[in-house]
Amino acid sequence: MIEYDDSKWRELNLPHDWSIEGEFSDTNSSGAGGGALPTGIGWYRKSFTIDKSEKEKCLFIDFDGIYRNSEVWINGHYLGKRANGYISFRYELTPYLKFGKEKNIIAVRVDNSLQPNSRWYTGSGIYRNVWLVSTSKLHIEQWGVYITTQKIGEEESMIHAKINLTENVNDYNSVRIVTTIIDSAGNQKAQTSQVTKQSSIFQEISIRNPNLWSIEHPYLYQLKTEVFADDIKVDEYYIPFGIRYFKFDVDSGFYLNGKPMEIRGVNLHHDLGALGAAVNTRAIERQLQLMKDMGVNAIRTAHNPPAPEFLDLCDEMGFIVMDEAFDVWKKKKLKYDYHFDWDDNHKRDLQDMVLRDRNHPSVFIWSIGNEIREQFDSTGITIGKELVDIVKQIDTTRPVTCALTETDPAKNYIYQSGALDLLGFNYKIFDWPKFPQNFPGQKMIATENMSVYTTRGHYDMPSDSVRYWPQKYGDSIIGANPDYTVSAYDMVCAYWGATHEQTLKALSQNKFNPGMFIWSGIDFIGEPEPIWWPAKSSYYGVVDLAGFPKDIYYLYQSIWTDKPVLHVFPHWNWKEGQTIDVWAYYNQADEVELFLNGKSLGTKKKENGNYHVMWRVNYEAGELKAISRKDGHVVLEKLIKTARKPAKIEMIGDTKEINPDGTDLCFVTVRITDNEGNLVPDASNLVKFNISGSAFIAGVDNGYQASHEPFKANYRKAFNGLCLVIVQSNGKTGKIKLEATSEGLIPASITLKTK
């Protein structure tokens, strides 16, 4: 293996997902549920040298995640296997390394060939970051500092730090641990020092006038731990942390820092749209910012531990997180899923998740599973107790939940284990009022809700009756569209779910429920319910796969944010005389008046707990205008014009500068407009892209669930007037020019700079 000729192998940068580079096909063994993309087996090799000065050090390789069944060798020595594709892990390289000019070869085999193994798209390969870590012989263990806040007040907070060193403490005459707390401005706030002969140390540090971490003000401190052996610094370890306290109350919900807070959450899978599973910090940040702007304050990591960068961003941006471990336990959902690996891996995998993530202030809840089949038999009792015990041995500061589906306590054995601190329930909103009677004294949270299907920019009439696709399990869909679209009105949902407005009403009527998590925040690759192939990505999202908000996004913005909102839809390009339902989401106003070509169609107010108003309008081309008013005064106006034929391309980047670091991104929205700049709502023009300068095209998309165009390309058809091109730094400085052309349209270009 060491002498293997890899000269013809492809060179690439990590993180890397090889599946996203493939072609969609119904013959791919992952199936539509897995995104209909190729999987298989892949090998990675890297040669590197280690300076002789490192010979007295310990060297490790840290993998943030490999999907899946990874095996690693260094210089021909087998280091081990990790089956779980979402777990971070470490191997020590020290005994097998060569120093100086001799090359070291690390080889990684990734086996994602057994399919199907996931109900959603996973990606394939070393899709998260990899780190080469060099330490002194005496050092802090991986994830070896545990921070808790035991006393929190306006004048003082007491910070506890448990520090685990390697076992060779007694090899030195003196070992001293210095721990310093640093505020967000870089100032030292407190410090303590301790001499020890033990490998496990406990320190207590007081902070005066602490700044609390919250959703609105996610204030972060840093804990710096220095290790001195015989007065020589041998290790230094930085951990961001936040000071906050919270509780769940049986009767009144959730409190953060003593203040009531409704949990306004979404479920998110880990893929990044056209970038696949390959971790990119800017892409994750964009997804989270879309959620933040919608009014979201909580994320459930469905249904696996996330990338470390994801939690770092949640800490920084102000989200609370339900950190979830498993989608299956010992009983399978799919032929080759994690049930195969359960016996040998679940304990270590769960331990590693909690150890890695326990210092994040954003992490509020540990979830040990999603819709686990053991809830229906007595094994749910024993396994449930075991998993909660594993978590509690490492962290006792957060409640443990499991996302359940069985609302009859006599039939739910995971509930009967008595181990859960918090009962999570998916869907079944009409059972919520019975919860206090069925589960007396228990705290709950709605872990997964809605399952509403929508396609951005497509509208079916009439819109004022709920459609279940299908009506029940095993039925065919009645009224499915031949182009595999689903109406963007809040009107089509799964038979197990409910509409957004139905769920929001139920939440408002059950105050003991601290909040909910929408399924889902953003469309994801795979699980294309209810259409399946030829669809290859989901319909559940409030935002589409390309990151373009659907209409329902503005419902949440109108009730979950302080931003003034008046969102009117649909577009205004229809057949003369056609009856069109016009909806409006609005806030900070008493009423909305609608005008068609200057004629008032009446004023509407939200009634009967509804979150929108509607007019039924006979279409005529021209101009649709809505005006929201409060106490007779105009708050906002919204104008929608009938668009003419496509005439030109418009490009809008989300930034004008990118970092020349080889990873930073610019997301460019491409609009097809008429000659007056109005978006053409049914435009499907093929747009071709050309890029020059210090960047490359990392991906393209349009949000259409049944598109089989590749994500890795320099072209894309618009879908309902929009498509997306993602520009990525190539690591060099200089200007970047992106050009877009389409037959018969006026072209467009944008220029970016590197910082």
mmCIF file with all atom_site columns, all heavy atoms in Angstrom, residues 387-406:
data_model
loop_
_atom_site.group_PDB
_atom_site.id
_atom_site.type_symbol
_atom_site.label_atom_id
_atom_site.label_alt_id
_atom_site.label_comp_id
_atom_site.label_asym_id
_atom_site.label_entity_id
_atom_site.label_seq_id
_atom_site.pdbx_PDB_ins_code
_atom_site.Cartn_x
_atom_site.Cartn_y
_atom_site.Cartn_z
_atom_site.occupancy
_atom_site.B_iso_or_equiv
_atom_site.pdbx_formal_charge
_atom_site.auth_seq_id
_atom_site.auth_comp_id
_atom_site.auth_asym_id
_atom_site.auth_atom_id
_atom_site.pdbx_PDB_model_num
ATOM 1   N N   . LEU A 1 387 ? -29.079 4.479  27.080 1.00 0.00 ? 387 LEU A N   1
ATOM 2   C CA  . LEU A 1 387 ? -28.595 5.658  26.358 1.00 0.00 ? 387 LEU A CA  1
ATOM 3   C C   . LEU A 1 387 ? -28.618 6.907  27.236 1.00 0.00 ? 387 LEU A C   1
ATOM 4   O O   . LEU A 1 387 ? -27.678 7.716  27.214 1.00 0.00 ? 387 LEU A O   1
ATOM 5   C CB  . LEU A 1 387 ? -29.427 5.871  25.090 1.00 0.00 ? 387 LEU A CB  1
ATOM 6   C CG  . LEU A 1 387 ? -29.377 4.753  24.051 1.00 0.00 ? 387 LEU A CG  1
ATOM 7   C CD1 . LEU A 1 387 ? -30.219 5.113  22.838 1.00 0.00 ? 387 LEU A CD1 1
ATOM 8   C CD2 . LEU A 1 387 ? -27.942 4.453  23.624 1.00 0.00 ? 387 LEU A CD2 1
ATOM 9   N N   . VAL A 1 388 ? -29.677 7.082  27.988 1.00 0.00 ? 388 VAL A N   1
ATOM 10  C CA  . VAL A 1 388 ? -29.738 8.249  28.876 1.00 0.00 ? 388 VAL A CA  1
ATOM 11  C C   . VAL A 1 388 ? -28.626 8.174  29.914 1.00 0.00 ? 388 VAL A C   1
ATOM 12  O O   . VAL A 1 388 ? -27.986 9.189  30.236 1.00 0.00 ? 388 VAL A O   1
ATOM 13  C CB  . VAL A 1 388 ? -31.120 8.357  29.539 1.00 0.00 ? 388 VAL A CB  1
ATOM 14  C CG1 . VAL A 1 388 ? -31.119 9.463  30.598 1.00 0.00 ? 388 VAL A CG1 1
ATOM 15  C CG2 . VAL A 1 388 ? -32.199 8.631  28.492 1.00 0.00 ? 388 VAL A CG2 1
ATOM 16  N N   . ASP A 1 389 ? -28.354 6.984  30.413 1.00 0.00 ? 389 ASP A N   1
ATOM 17  C CA  . ASP A 1 389 ? -27.278 6.813  31.393 1.00 0.00 ? 389 ASP A CA  1
ATOM 18  C C   . ASP A 1 389 ? -25.924 7.171  30.782 1.00 0.00 ? 389 ASP A C   1
ATOM 19  O O   . ASP A 1 389 ? -25.087 7.809  31.446 1.00 0.00 ? 389 ASP A O   1
ATOM 20  C CB  . ASP A 1 389 ? -27.264 5.374  31.897 1.00 0.00 ? 389 ASP A CB  1
ATOM 21  C CG  . ASP A 1 389 ? -26.242 5.170  33.012 1.00 0.00 ? 389 ASP A CG  1
ATOM 22  O OD1 . ASP A 1 389 ? -26.324 5.878  34.037 1.00 0.00 ? 389 ASP A OD1 1
ATOM 23  O OD2 . ASP A 1 389 ? -25.343 4.317  32.854 1.00 0.00 ? 389 ASP A OD2 1
ATOM 24  N N   . ILE A 1 390 ? -25.696 6.789  29.525 1.00 0.00 ? 390 ILE A N   1
ATOM 25  C CA  . ILE A 1 390 ? -24.442 7.142  28.841 1.00 0.00 ? 390 ILE A CA  1
ATOM 26  C C   . ILE A 1 390 ? -24.287 8.663  28.791 1.00 0.00 ? 390 ILE A C   1
ATOM 27  O O   . ILE A 1 390 ? -23.213 9.209  29.088 1.00 0.00 ? 390 ILE A O   1
ATOM 28  C CB  . ILE A 1 390 ? -24.407 6.545  27.428 1.00 0.00 ? 390 ILE A CB  1
ATOM 29  C CG1 . ILE A 1 390 ? -24.267 5.019  27.491 1.00 0.00 ? 390 ILE A CG1 1
ATOM 30  C CG2 . ILE A 1 390 ? -23.256 7.142  26.614 1.00 0.00 ? 390 ILE A CG2 1
ATOM 31  C CD1 . ILE A 1 390 ? -24.493 4.327  26.155 1.00 0.00 ? 390 ILE A CD1 1
ATOM 32  N N   . VAL A 1 391 ? -25.361 9.352  28.428 1.00 0.00 ? 391 VAL A N   1
ATOM 33  C CA  . VAL A 1 391 ? -25.309 10.816 28.357 1.00 0.00 ? 391 VAL A CA  1
ATOM 34  C C   . VAL A 1 391 ? -25.040 11.416 29.727 1.00 0.00 ? 391 VAL A C   1
ATOM 35  O O   . VAL A 1 391 ? -24.159 12.280 29.897 1.00 0.00 ? 391 VAL A O   1
ATOM 36  C CB  . VAL A 1 391 ? -26.616 11.383 27.769 1.00 0.00 ? 391 VAL A CB  1
ATOM 37  C CG1 . VAL A 1 391 ? -26.611 12.913 27.842 1.00 0.00 ? 391 VAL A CG1 1
ATOM 38  C CG2 . VAL A 1 391 ? -26.817 10.925 26.339 1.00 0.00 ? 391 VAL A CG2 1
ATOM 39  N N   . LYS A 1 392 ? -25.770 10.950 30.748 1.00 0.00 ? 392 LYS A N   1
ATOM 40  C CA  . LYS A 1 392 ? -25.684 11.554 32.079 1.00 0.00 ? 392 LYS A CA  1
ATOM 41  C C   . LYS A 1 392 ? -24.334 11.307 32.752 1.00 0.00 ? 392 LYS A C   1
ATOM 42  O O   . LYS A 1 392 ? -23.933 12.081 33.620 1.00 0.00 ? 392 LYS A O   1
ATOM 43  C CB  . LYS A 1 392 ? -26.804 11.004 32.969 1.00 0.00 ? 392 LYS A CB  1
ATOM 44  C CG  . LYS A 1 392 ? -28.208 11.317 32.489 1.00 0.00 ? 392 LYS A CG  1
ATOM 45  C CD  . LYS A 1 392 ? -28.577 12.766 32.673 1.00 0.00 ? 392 LYS A CD  1
ATOM 46  C CE  . LYS A 1 392 ? -30.047 12.996 32.358 1.00 0.00 ? 392 LYS A CE  1
ATOM 47  N NZ  . LYS A 1 392 ? -30.443 14.403 32.525 1.00 0.00 ? 392 LYS A NZ  1
ATOM 48  N N   . GLN A 1 393 ? -23.641 10.258 32.353 1.00 0.00 ? 393 GLN A N   1
ATOM 49  C CA  . GLN A 1 393 ? -22.303 10.035 32.898 1.00 0.00 ? 393 GLN A CA  1
ATOM 50  C C   . GLN A 1 393 ? -21.324 11.106 32.422 1.00 0.00 ? 393 GLN A C   1
ATOM 51  O O   . GLN A 1 393 ? -20.293 11.335 33.055 1.00 0.00 ? 393 GLN A O   1
ATOM 52  C CB  . GLN A 1 393 ? -21.804 8.648  32.487 1.00 0.00 ? 393 GLN A CB  1
ATOM 53  C CG  . GLN A 1 393 ? -22.475 7.506  33.228 1.00 0.00 ? 393 GLN A CG  1
ATOM 54  C CD  . GLN A 1 393 ? -21.977 6.150  32.774 1.00 0.00 ? 393 GLN A CD  1
ATOM 55  O OE1 . GLN A 1 393 ? -20.916 6.029  32.165 1.00 0.00 ? 393 GLN A OE1 1
ATOM 56  N NE2 . GLN A 1 393 ? -22.741 5.107  33.051 1.00 0.00 ? 393 GLN A NE2 1
ATOM 57  N N   . ILE A 1 394 ? -21.646 11.763 31.327 1.00 0.00 ? 394 ILE A N   1
ATOM 58  C CA  . ILE A 1 394 ? -20.750 12.774 30.753 1.00 0.00 ? 394 ILE A CA  1
ATOM 59  C C   . ILE A 1 394 ? -21.261 14.184 31.004 1.00 0.00 ? 394 ILE A C   1
ATOM 60  O O   . ILE A 1 394 ? -20.489 15.097 31.288 1.00 0.00 ? 394 ILE A O   1
ATOM 61  C CB  . ILE A 1 394 ? -20.585 12.524 29.238 1.00 0.00 ? 394 ILE A CB  1
ATOM 62  C CG1 . ILE A 1 394 ? -19.976 11.124 29.004 1.00 0.00 ? 394 ILE A CG1 1
ATOM 63  C CG2 . ILE A 1 394 ? -19.710 13.591 28.594 1.00 0.00 ? 394 ILE A CG2 1
ATOM 64  C CD1 . ILE A 1 394 ? -20.008 10.688 27.547 1.00 0.00 ? 394 ILE A CD1 1
ATOM 65  N N   . ASP A 1 395 ? -22.577 14.382 30.906 1.00 0.00 ? 395 ASP A N   1
ATOM 66  C CA  . ASP A 1 395 ? -23.140 15.727 31.069 1.00 0.00 ? 395 ASP A CA  1
ATOM 67  C C   . ASP A 1 395 ? -24.501 15.627 31.750 1.00 0.00 ? 395 ASP A C   1
ATOM 68  O O   . ASP A 1 395 ? -25.388 14.929 31.271 1.00 0.00 ? 395 ASP A O   1
ATOM 69  C CB  . ASP A 1 395 ? -23.293 16.414 29.710 1.00 0.00 ? 395 ASP A CB  1
ATOM 70  C CG  . ASP A 1 395 ? -23.932 17.792 29.840 1.00 0.00 ? 395 ASP A CG  1
ATOM 71  O OD1 . ASP A 1 395 ? -23.396 18.607 30.608 1.00 0.00 ? 395 ASP A OD1 1
ATOM 72  O OD2 . ASP A 1 395 ? -24.964 18.038 29.180 1.00 0.00 ? 395 ASP A OD2 1
ATOM 73  N N   . THR A 1 396 ? -24.646 16.339 32.844 1.00 0.00 ? 396 THR A N   1
ATOM 74  C CA  . THR A 1 396 ? -25.921 16.350 33.576 1.00 0.00 ? 396 THR A CA  1
ATOM 75  C C   . THR A 1 396 ? -26.610 17.707 33.512 1.00 0.00 ? 396 THR A C   1
ATOM 76  O O   . THR A 1 396 ? -27.611 17.932 34.198 1.00 0.00 ? 396 THR A O   1
ATOM 77  C CB  . THR A 1 396 ? -25.694 15.985 35.054 1.00 0.00 ? 396 THR A CB  1
ATOM 78  O OG1 . THR A 1 396 ? -24.776 16.936 35.639 1.00 0.00 ? 396 THR A OG1 1
ATOM 79  C CG2 . THR A 1 396 ? -25.127 14.585 35.195 1.00 0.00 ? 396 THR A CG2 1
ATOM 80  N N   . THR A 1 397 ? -26.104 18.610 32.687 1.00 0.00 ? 397 THR A N   1
ATOM 81  C CA  . THR A 1 397 ? -26.614 19.982 32.686 1.00 0.00 ? 397 THR A CA  1
ATOM 82  C C   . THR A 1 397 ? -27.724 20.218 31.674 1.00 0.00 ? 397 THR A C   1
ATOM 83  O O   . THR A 1 397 ? -28.280 21.311 31.631 1.00 0.00 ? 397 THR A O   1
ATOM 84  C CB  . THR A 1 397 ? -25.474 20.976 32.403 1.00 0.00 ? 397 THR A CB  1
ATOM 85  O OG1 . THR A 1 397 ? -25.022 20.807 31.047 1.00 0.00 ? 397 THR A OG1 1
ATOM 86  C CG2 . THR A 1 397 ? -24.312 20.762 33.357 1.00 0.00 ? 397 THR A CG2 1
ATOM 87  N N   . ARG A 1 398 ? -28.043 19.210 30.858 1.00 0.00 ? 398 ARG A N   1
ATOM 88  C CA  . ARG A 1 398 ? -29.057 19.383 29.821 1.00 0.00 ? 398 ARG A CA  1
ATOM 89  C C   . ARG A 1 398 ? -30.062 18.233 29.882 1.00 0.00 ? 398 ARG A C   1
ATOM 90  O O   . ARG A 1 398 ? -29.695 17.100 30.185 1.00 0.00 ? 398 ARG A O   1
ATOM 91  C CB  . ARG A 1 398 ? -28.416 19.410 28.434 1.00 0.00 ? 398 ARG A CB  1
ATOM 92  C CG  . ARG A 1 398 ? -27.434 20.553 28.221 1.00 0.00 ? 398 ARG A CG  1
ATOM 93  C CD  . ARG A 1 398 ? -26.648 20.313 26.936 1.00 0.00 ? 398 ARG A CD  1
ATOM 94  N NE  . ARG A 1 398 ? -25.765 21.431 26.611 1.00 0.00 ? 398 ARG A NE  1
ATOM 95  C CZ  . ARG A 1 398 ? -24.514 21.547 27.040 1.00 0.00 ? 398 ARG A CZ  1
ATOM 96  N NH1 . ARG A 1 398 ? -23.986 20.612 27.838 1.00 0.00 ? 398 ARG A NH1 1
ATOM 97  N NH2 . ARG A 1 398 ? -23.773 22.573 26.688 1.00 0.00 ? 398 ARG A NH2 1
ATOM 98  N N   . PRO A 1 399 ? -31.316 18.509 29.534 1.00 0.00 ? 399 PRO A N   1
ATOM 99  C CA  . PRO A 1 399 ? -32.296 17.418 29.493 1.00 0.00 ? 399 PRO A CA  1
ATOM 100 C C   . PRO A 1 399 ? -32.047 16.507 28.294 1.00 0.00 ? 399 PRO A C   1
ATOM 101 O O   . PRO A 1 399 ? -31.521 16.934 27.262 1.00 0.00 ? 399 PRO A O   1
ATOM 102 C CB  . PRO A 1 399 ? -33.639 18.148 29.359 1.00 0.00 ? 399 PRO A CB  1
ATOM 103 C CG  . PRO A 1 399 ? -33.302 19.450 28.705 1.00 0.00 ? 399 PRO A CG  1
ATOM 104 C CD  . PRO A 1 399 ? -31.930 19.818 29.211 1.00 0.00 ? 399 PRO A CD  1
ATOM 105 N N   . VAL A 1 400 ? -32.465 15.254 28.453 1.00 0.00 ? 400 VAL A N   1
ATOM 106 C CA  . VAL A 1 400 ? -32.379 14.266 27.372 1.00 0.00 ? 400 VAL A CA  1
ATOM 107 C C   . VAL A 1 400 ? -33.786 13.972 26.890 1.00 0.00 ? 400 VAL A C   1
ATOM 108 O O   . VAL A 1 400 ? -34.704 13.744 27.687 1.00 0.00 ? 400 VAL A O   1
ATOM 109 C CB  . VAL A 1 400 ? -31.706 12.968 27.851 1.00 0.00 ? 400 VAL A CB  1
ATOM 110 C CG1 . VAL A 1 400 ? -31.631 11.955 26.709 1.00 0.00 ? 400 VAL A CG1 1
ATOM 111 C CG2 . VAL A 1 400 ? -30.311 13.264 28.396 1.00 0.00 ? 400 VAL A CG2 1
ATOM 112 N N   . THR A 1 401 ? -33.952 13.965 25.562 1.00 0.00 ? 401 THR A N   1
ATOM 113 C CA  . THR A 1 401 ? -35.250 13.660 24.971 1.00 0.00 ? 401 THR A CA  1
ATOM 114 C C   . THR A 1 401 ? -35.095 12.592 23.912 1.00 0.00 ? 401 THR A C   1
ATOM 115 O O   . THR A 1 401 ? -33.990 12.140 23.588 1.00 0.00 ? 401 THR A O   1
ATOM 116 C CB  . THR A 1 401 ? -35.902 14.922 24.370 1.00 0.00 ? 401 THR A CB  1
ATOM 117 O OG1 . THR A 1 401 ? -37.271 14.651 24.066 1.00 0.00 ? 401 THR A OG1 1
ATOM 118 C CG2 . THR A 1 401 ? -35.190 15.368 23.105 1.00 0.00 ? 401 THR A CG2 1
ATOM 119 N N   . CYS A 1 402 ? -36.226 12.179 23.360 1.00 0.00 ? 402 CYS A N   1
ATOM 120 C CA  . CYS A 1 402 ? -36.268 11.299 22.198 1.00 0.00 ? 402 CYS A CA  1
ATOM 121 C C   . CYS A 1 402 ? -37.502 11.719 21.409 1.00 0.00 ? 402 CYS A C   1
ATOM 122 O O   . CYS A 1 402 ? -38.561 11.964 22.001 1.00 0.00 ? 402 CYS A O   1
ATOM 123 C CB  . CYS A 1 402 ? -36.362 9.835  22.622 1.00 0.00 ? 402 CYS A CB  1
ATOM 124 S SG  . CYS A 1 402 ? -36.181 8.651  21.265 1.00 0.00 ? 402 CYS A SG  1
ATOM 125 N N   . ALA A 1 403 ? -37.386 11.844 20.098 1.00 0.00 ? 403 ALA A N   1
ATOM 126 C CA  . ALA A 1 403 ? -38.514 12.263 19.266 1.00 0.00 ? 403 ALA A CA  1
ATOM 127 C C   . ALA A 1 403 ? -39.421 11.057 19.025 1.00 0.00 ? 403 ALA A C   1
ATOM 128 O O   . ALA A 1 403 ? -39.091 10.165 18.250 1.00 0.00 ? 403 ALA A O   1
ATOM 129 C CB  . ALA A 1 403 ? -38.013 12.842 17.953 1.00 0.00 ? 403 ALA A CB  1
ATOM 130 N N   . LEU A 1 404 ? -40.556 11.033 19.705 1.00 0.00 ? 404 LEU A N   1
ATOM 131 C CA  . LEU A 1 404 ? -41.469 9.895  19.707 1.00 0.00 ? 404 LEU A CA  1
ATOM 132 C C   . LEU A 1 404 ? -42.649 10.144 18.773 1.00 0.00 ? 404 LEU A C   1
ATOM 133 O O   . LEU A 1 404 ? -42.938 11.289 18.397 1.00 0.00 ? 404 LEU A O   1
ATOM 134 C CB  . LEU A 1 404 ? -41.969 9.649  21.129 1.00 0.00 ? 404 LEU A CB  1
ATOM 135 C CG  . LEU A 1 404 ? -40.897 9.513  22.218 1.00 0.00 ? 404 LEU A CG  1
ATOM 136 C CD1 . LEU A 1 404 ? -41.528 9.560  23.601 1.00 0.00 ? 404 LEU A CD1 1
ATOM 137 C CD2 . LEU A 1 404 ? -40.093 8.238  22.022 1.00 0.00 ? 404 LEU A CD2 1
ATOM 138 N N   . THR A 1 405 ? -43.351 9.063  18.435 1.00 0.00 ? 405 THR A N   1
ATOM 139 C CA  . THR A 1 405 ? -44.558 9.185  17.615 1.00 0.00 ? 405 THR A CA  1
ATOM 140 C C   . THR A 1 405 ? -45.788 8.613  18.301 1.00 0.00 ? 405 THR A C   1
ATOM 141 O O   . THR A 1 405 ? -46.902 8.980  17.951 1.00 0.00 ? 405 THR A O   1
ATOM 142 C CB  . THR A 1 405 ? -44.372 8.467  16.267 1.00 0.00 ? 405 THR A CB  1
ATOM 143 O OG1 . THR A 1 405 ? -43.986 7.109  16.499 1.00 0.00 ? 405 THR A OG1 1
ATOM 144 C CG2 . THR A 1 405 ? -43.310 9.153  15.421 1.00 0.00 ? 405 THR A CG2 1
ATOM 145 N N   . GLU A 1 406 ? -45.591 7.717  19.257 1.00 0.00 ? 406 GLU A N   1
ATOM 146 C CA  . GLU A 1 406 ? -46.713 7.058  19.920 1.00 0.00 ? 406 GLU A CA  1
ATOM 147 C C   . GLU A 1 406 ? -47.189 7.898  21.102 1.00 0.00 ? 406 GLU A C   1
ATOM 148 O O   . GLU A 1 406 ? -46.466 8.069  22.085 1.00 0.00 ? 406 GLU A O   1
ATOM 149 C CB  . GLU A 1 406 ? -46.306 5.666  20.398 1.00 0.00 ? 406 GLU A CB  1
ATOM 150 C CG  . GLU A 1 406 ? -47.402 4.896  21.115 1.00 0.00 ? 406 GLU A CG  1
ATOM 151 C CD  . GLU A 1 406 ? -48.686 4.821  20.319 1.00 0.00 ? 406 GLU A CD  1
ATOM 152 O OE1 . GLU A 1 406 ? -48.704 4.096  19.291 1.00 0.00 ? 406 GLU A OE1 1
ATOM 153 O OE2 . GLU A 1 406 ? -49.666 5.502  20.709 1.00 0.00 ? 406 GLU A OE2 1
#
